[in-house]
Each structure stands twice: as structure tokens, then as C-alpha cells.
Amino acid sequence: AEIMGESVKQLTDAVTDEDLVRDVEMIASADADIRNVTRVRARQVGSSALVDVEVTAPPDFSASAMRAIEERVRVRILSDVSGVLDVEVRVTGDNVVFCPLLSAIEDSDVDHQMSATEVEYAAREILEADSEVKSVEGVTVHYQDTVLIRVDANICVSSNATVSEANSVAARLRKNLLGSDSNIDSANIFLDLNTPIIQQKKVLSP
């Protein structure tokens, strides 16, 4: 009866390893894209634990960026916290719907992945360094299959630039982004020519 009682106790939320929870919180909060760790729960299953983590990220992150955060944090917890059998990570933010991972990927790829915040910062630096760019209106980071990075950037160029000149600038910027150390796999540059004649934004796609 005592053995049965202990087994039942281990399968409930009543048994929580405080050190394990603290380690999980520390790893999750260390990710540059995570604002807060809102909840960590651990259920004992024999000598291991099933961990459930809820975190928040900036609300303007894309859904694919949210999924990439979930997978990245999951891999790091499994890798760095002993005694964890499995982890479920959920990221919440405005206009984000939780759904399963798009596909399975190598843990090593996720573990070394740059955060969306780091990618955005690096992309802005590259774009703003170009003398033909008047301003960077926005940079959005997307993830395909949680690991391939796509950057969409909205920029303003000189009002004196022709469409041909503006597209040349966009081509150069896209080349600079893809050639950087930011692990960017594809990029779209949206041009605001800021002229009365051309009202439509032009886009240079991969």
C-alpha cells in the first residue's frame, strides 16, 4: 500500500522539485526573446519529470518566431536540466495562436539559433549602415520550420530615387543581409519611394 501511495503521489502535481523548477525558470528567462516566465510546472514520473512552461514574448513577434522560441527553449531545457523526461513550452503574445511545431528539426540547430530580437537588431544595423537608406520603418523576423530565418524589411529611400535606382538599393541590401553572420536564409525588402507619383510599395523578393 505504501509503494502504491508513493506511485500515485509521483504522478500528481503535488510533487515538485524546487531545484528543477528554478533551473527551468533560469534557462527560459535567459532567452533574449522572452519577457517573462509566467508558469513552470513539474510532474514526477518515476525518477524523471514532465515539465510544462509558459512564457511571454513581445506581442509584435510573428507566429513562426513564437514557435521557434518554443522549440529553442524546449531543447535547452532538455539539454541542460537533468532529470527531465519531456518539456512542453508555450509562448503567448497578442495575435498569436498556439499550434504544434511545423516539422522536426535537429536539436543542435535550434540550440545555436539566434533569437528573433538578435536577428532584428543585426538586420537593422545592416540596413541603416547603407547611405541610400533614409530610415528603416520596420523589420519582421519569420521562421520556417522553426529554424530557417526570413527577414521582411520596410525602408525609405530618397524621394529623388528612380524605381530602377531604388530596386538596385533593395538588391544590394538583400545581398548584404544574406551575406551577414545573422543566419538569415531569405529576405524581402519593401521600398517606400515617398514620391507623389509612386504610391505603391515595391518589393524585391527572393
Side-chain angles (χ1 to χ4, degrees):
E2 184 177 346
I3 294 175
M4 178 67 73
E6 181 63 25
S7 298
V8 171
K9 185 179 180 184
Q10 286 182 337
L11 288 171
T12 67
D13 292 342
V15 178
T16 300
D17 187 325
E18 293 183 1
D19 291 335
L20 183 147
V21 170
R22 185 168 56 250
D23 290 344
V24 168
E25 288 178 342
M26 186 180 306
I27 290 172
S29 61
D31 191 284
D33 288 338
I34 290 178
R35 284 182 169 176
N36 295 295
V37 179
T38 55
R39 185 174 72 166
V40 175
R41 292 198 311 170
R43 289 184 299 158
Q44 290 296 134
V45 180
S47 59
S48 300
L50 297 174
V51 177
D52 184 17
V53 185
E54 292 184 5
V55 299
T56 60
D60 57 343
F61 273 17
S62 63
S64 60
M66 295 286 190
R67 289 192 293 271
I69 295 169
E70 290 168 349
E71 183 64 5
R72 185 169 65 240
V73 172
R74 184 188 74 85
V75 168
R76 287 174 179 166
I77 292 172
L78 286 172
S79 194
D80 297 345
V81 181
S82 60
V84 175
L85 181 63
D86 197 11
V87 185
E88 182 175 357
V89 180
R90 286 187 295 276
V91 180
T92 58
D94 293 344
N95 302 319
V96 174
V97 179
F98 172 76
C99 63
L101 295 174
L102 296 175
S103 66
I105 55 178
E106 292 294 328
D107 286 353
S108 59
D109 290 339
V110 178
D111 196 32
H112 295 91
Q113 184 185 72
M114 290 180 68
S115 68
T117 300
E118 292 168 331
V119 173
E120 179 183 347
Y121 180 81
R124 283 184 177 276
E125 277 198 325
I126 293 169
L127 297 170
E128 291 171 351
D130 193 289
S131 60
E132 299 295 328
V133 175
K134 290 178 60 180
S135 64
V136 178
E137 299 301 309
V139 174
T140 304
V141 179
H142 301 272
Y143 289 81
Q144 180 182 348
D145 297 337
T146 73
V147 69
L148 299 177
I149 298 173
R150 188 187 89 227
V151 168
D152 290 344
N154 292 276
I155 65 169
C156 286
V157 296
S158 171
S159 59
N160 296 322
T162 65
V163 173
S164 176
E165 291 170 341
N167 280 329
S168 295
V169 172
R172 181 172 67 247
L173 293 174
R174 179 172 175 270
K175 182 179 179 180
N176 291 344
L177 288 171
L178 297 180
S180 70
D181 296 328
S182 304
N183 299 323
I184 298 171
D185 298 285
S186 62
N188 292 324
I189 306 296
F190 295 88
L191 298 172
D192 185 353
L193 301 182
N194 196 29
T195 66
I197 299 174
I198 303 173
Q199 300 297 332
Q200 267 317 85
K201 287 183 177 180
K202 304 293 182 180
V203 58
L204 179 73
S205 300

